[in-house]
Amino acid sequence: MKNKFIDLSKSGWCPGCSNFNIQIALSSAFSELNLEAHKIAMFFDIGCAGNACDVYKTYGFHGLHGRVIPLASGAKLVNDKLTAICLAGDGGAYGEGINHLIEAARSNINITLIVSNNRLYSLTTGQTSPTSEQGTKTKSTPDGVDKPALNPLLIALSAGAGFVARGYAYEIKHLSDIFKQAIKHNGFSLIDVIQPCITLDKKNTKEWYDQRVYKLDKTWPSQNRNKALIKVQEWDDRIPLGIF
Ligand code: SF4
């Protein structure tokens, strides 16, 4: 049976790219929420993740780099009945677009931002992004990144976001459940999705993440912002997944 929301044959992604999994999880969330394609407006950044614009059968706008949030905010102001979803990569969302993320969290505008975070600018063949680990060597940083990685969940929470989550592209059902709750949340929601780039990242691979990720237990999400602020900083031998 054809998927009502996506046609993955149009993606153009590398075979096996984990961006496929994210779209399966999202389209499944749309389906389980009984949404209709013509009532969904999606806003796509520049980058591998943003190229999902060709995949979706919803309304779609492929915008400038880092500008998905203002586009989605404008759409919501015009038609509040739309389900507004932004798809971006870590470069667009946490580099060029970080000011918009902070303002969206502060304003609590009712949009969902999904970030495919592979900690690289992958479309342009692997330069460092704001979430690249300190010391990472790429063609843009041959001597290694000289500063700590930015923690986007910490920034969003600090700015007042009421829904902050981390998913993993290889945990599709778990990711889809997070997407459903984010879409139902009446306010700004950020889902940072760990999305290993199988073509360019030979260090932070699926196997590397598989050994570290774990799901938050049933005591989460916390209604205590201070507790969440501590938990989102856990990123070492263990990396928590879920709604903080
Ligand atoms: Fe996916 Fe990486 Fe290929 Fe981009 S470069 S399509 S993120 S595998």
Side-chain angles (χ1 to χ4, degrees):
M1 194 173 74
K2 278 193 175 172
N3 188 308
K4 277 196 307 185
F5 300 102
I6 53 173
D7 179 355
L8 290 174
S9 69
K10 297 186 174 172
S11 78
W13 289 319
C14 305
C17 173
S18 49
N19 269 311
F20 285 107
N21 302 12
I22 297 172
Q23 314 325 318
I24 291 167
L26 184 56
S27 62
S28 167
F30 288 163
S31 182
E32 288 180 29
L33 290 171
N34 291 316
L35 298 180
E36 297 173 85
H38 71 280
K39 293 181 180 168
I40 302 170
M42 299 190 63
F43 302 88
F44 301 88
D45 211 308
I46 302 298
C48 291
N51 285 348
C53 189
D54 297 329
V55 163
Y56 277 87
K57 302 174 186 176
T58 62
Y59 286 108
F61 194 122
H62 205 166
L64 297 175
H65 207 189
R67 309 298 173 216
V68 277
I69 289 175
L71 289 169
S73 304
K76 282 297 281 186
L77 288 173
V78 171
N79 183 355
D80 190 42
K81 293 193 174 71
L82 285 172
T83 298
I85 311 281
C86 300
L87 277 187
D90 42 304
Y94 306 145
E96 289 86 345
I98 189 67
N99 53 333
H100 297 303
L101 192 161
I102 291 168
E103 281 307 311
R106 290 180 66 209
S107 309
N108 200 27
I109 191 151
N110 189 10
I111 61 178
T112 298
L113 171 63
I114 297 169
V115 181
S116 286
N117 186 355
N118 54 35
R119 306 163 81 194
L120 289 173
Y121 282 83
S122 296
L123 187 70
T124 48
T125 68
Q127 296 81 5
T128 53
S129 88
T131 51
S132 299
E133 190 180 353
Q134 189 164 17
T136 302
K137 291 186 179 180
T138 69
K139 59 183 72 172
S140 65
T141 51
D143 297 326
V145 178
D146 63 353
K147 51 196 161 225
L150 179 148
N151 183 330
L153 300 185
L154 184 60
I155 289 174
L157 267 176
S158 305
F163 189 111
V164 166
R166 181 184 292 121
Y168 181 40
Y170 292 102
E171 288 281 356
I172 296 177
K173 172 76 174 67
H174 183 252
L175 184 59
S176 188
D177 286 343
I178 293 174
F179 287 158
K180 276 193 290 184
Q181 295 193 59
I183 292 167
K184 284 196 287 185
H185 176 70
N186 186 20
F188 177 70
S189 50
L190 167 65
I191 307 101
D192 182 77
V193 185
I194 298 172
Q195 184 260 310
C197 174
I198 59 169
T199 302
L200 297 165
D201 195 340
K202 303 303 177 197
K203 179 169 178 269
N204 299 133
T205 59
K206 175 180 184 298
E207 291 68 31
W208 190 91
Y209 283 111
D210 282 348
Q211 289 167 11
R212 289 164 175 79
V213 294
Y214 75 96
K215 293 173 191 157
L216 293 170
D217 65 25
K218 293 192 188 321
T219 62
W220 294 87
S222 172
Q223 301 305 314
N224 182 322
R225 188 173 295 271
N226 288 337
K227 192 176 160 194
L229 282 165
I230 293 168
K231 196 66 176 172
V232 296
Q233 296 183 69
E234 186 178 329
W235 184 284
D236 41 42
D237 289 345
R238 283 166 61 74
I239 300 173
L241 304 176
I243 302 165
F244 294 94

